[in-house]
Amino acid sequence: MDLSGKVAVVTGAGRGLGRAYAEALAAAGAAVVVNDVDGDSAARVVDGITARGGRAALVAAPVGSAEVADRLVDTAVKEFGRLDVMVTNAGILRDRVLWKMSDDDFDAVIGVHLRGTFTCARAAAVRMREQGTGGRLILVSSPAGQRGNFGQTNYAAAKAGIVAMARTWAMELARANITVNAIVPVAATEMTRTIPTFAPIIEEAERTGRSFPAWLRQGEGMGTVEDVAPLVVFLASDASADVTGQAIGIGGDRLALWSHPSEKSVAYTYGGWSADAIAAAWPEGVGAEPETYGIPAPNVPDAPQTSDGAPDAPKGGS
């Protein structure tokens, strides 16, 4: 993919997935505005990009406010002349079960994830429409937003809202040739390191340099942050001009298209439904196959692992 001449903003790009997105976009030829609340981390990303011959600028600020969003867009225009791609990656966690979650826990996560996505996307859309040459909004969601996750009321709500905004903005911005998509990444990050099933595998891979085992890369769709970044490059490119309004998952060896909510089963009765009629019809009708919820537990194989990280072949046959 050649992104030469394109200019991108990546929020939360000081480390982890955001850093991988910024570096991959720069490697493909785009100029990148690197944003993070941690100015030192963001500066290191900028220095790395420029040391490799790329172009990058720094904005150290927390996303959420309209002022910071405008500053990101203004920096792109001032430093590189235009804006073509906005990647809204910045996020924080304040995990608590419902009865222990404070107003501040809820508001902080919603402010960064949901409001931060809104303000940055709005500022980018205004600029892209003024330019008249189209653009790309790449919003970062999560499996938690698609399925829910224990202890993540705030995070799951924000990430679900981000996908809903992508669908809405895809309609609103279509005439301006601005595509809007949500990505659903799964990767080894500081957050996934806290999951007991994954922690020792991540630590072993970092210590030895081996790749993750096949059951993790394929079965769970989890790999490195670098495995996720190519999707952002694709969505930033001209090759994705017809892709909009989608939620696209990526991680490890897996690339997936998430379905949009739709009616699964429908029943009718003349004159409308009483509560008693719903109770009678539910078990064998609309409610016969209820939807699952929550992120499924990892399916960890019992088979020993070979030196290259793949499960041993079964003994005595294929």
Side-chain angles (χ1 to χ4, degrees):
M1 290 289 169
D2 184 4
L3 302 182
S4 299
K6 295 187 183 295
V7 179
V9 171
V10 183
T11 69
R15 58 175 59 83
L17 285 165
R19 178 172 187 162
Y21 302 153
E23 292 177 341
L25 289 166
V32 184
V33 175
V34 176
N35 159 256
D36 202 279
V37 67
D38 183 343
D40 292 340
S41 295
R44 286 191 288 271
V45 176
V46 170
D47 290 344
I49 290 172
T50 56
R52 291 186 290 271
R55 296 184 297 158
L58 167 66
V59 175
V63 301
S65 69
E67 290 76 15
V68 169
D70 290 340
R71 182 178 165 195
L72 293 172
V73 173
D74 290 345
T75 299
V77 175
K78 178 181 178 181
E79 296 292 332
F80 307 117
R82 58 184 296 108
L83 176 65
D84 301 285
V85 182
M86 171 64 76
V87 183
T88 60
N89 170 74
I92 61 172
L93 292 177
R94 297 289 188 272
D95 292 356
R96 300 284 190 279
V97 291
L98 173 60
W99 56 94
K100 293 184 178 181
M101 183 170 289
S102 69
D103 290 356
D104 288 343
D105 292 332
F106 185 84
D107 291 344
V109 170
I110 296 299
V112 174
H113 286 277
L114 197 60
R115 184 176 177 82
T117 296
F118 162 68
T119 55
C120 290
R122 180 180 60 185
V126 169
R127 176 62 193 182
M128 291 172 182
R129 292 180 76 250
E130 289 174 351
Q131 290 174 175
T133 54
R136 305 284 186 266
L137 301 183
I138 303 171
L139 319 181
V140 180
S141 185
S142 164
Q146 301 294 94
R147 297 190 55 86
N149 198 28
F150 189 93
Q152 292 193 316
T153 294
N154 44 12
Y155 182 77
K159 291 302 191 182
I162 285 169
V163 177
M165 290 195 296
R167 297 177 189 132
T168 301
W169 296 341
M171 293 184 287
E172 294 178 348
L173 295 170
R175 291 184 62 183
N177 294 318
I178 301 170
T179 65
V180 190
N181 293 285
I183 66 171
V184 185
V186 179
T189 63
E190 291 302 315
M191 183 176 71
T192 52
R193 185 190 295 275
T194 65
I195 302 173
T197 301
F198 298 145
I201 299 169
I202 295 171
E203 292 170 2
E204 177 69 7
E206 291 176 347
R207 185 181 66 83
T208 64
R210 294 175 183 168
S211 63
F212 293 147
W215 71 265
L216 187 60
R217 290 188 58 84
Q218 296 180 11
E220 300 299 322
M222 176 182 285
T224 66
V225 294
E226 288 77 16
D227 291 320
V228 174
L231 176 58
V232 173
V233 175
F234 164 69
L235 290 175
S237 74
D238 294 339
S240 68
D242 295 328
V243 181
T244 193
Q246 305 303 303
I248 307 169
I250 190 168
D253 297 331
R254 179 187 291 177
L255 177 67
L257 181 67
W258 282 86
S259 64
H260 290 182
S262 60
E263 293 178 334
K264 180 178 179 179
S265 58
V266 181
Y268 300 92
T269 187
Y270 289 107
W273 290 89
S274 69
D276 287 339
I278 293 171
W282 186 264
E284 304 299 328
V286 171
E289 297 181 2
E291 292 288 272
T292 61
Y293 53 90
I295 299 173
N299 184 19
V300 183
D302 295 328
Q305 303 294 309
T306 62
S307 59
D308 65 358
D312 286 336
K315 300 298 188 288
S318 60

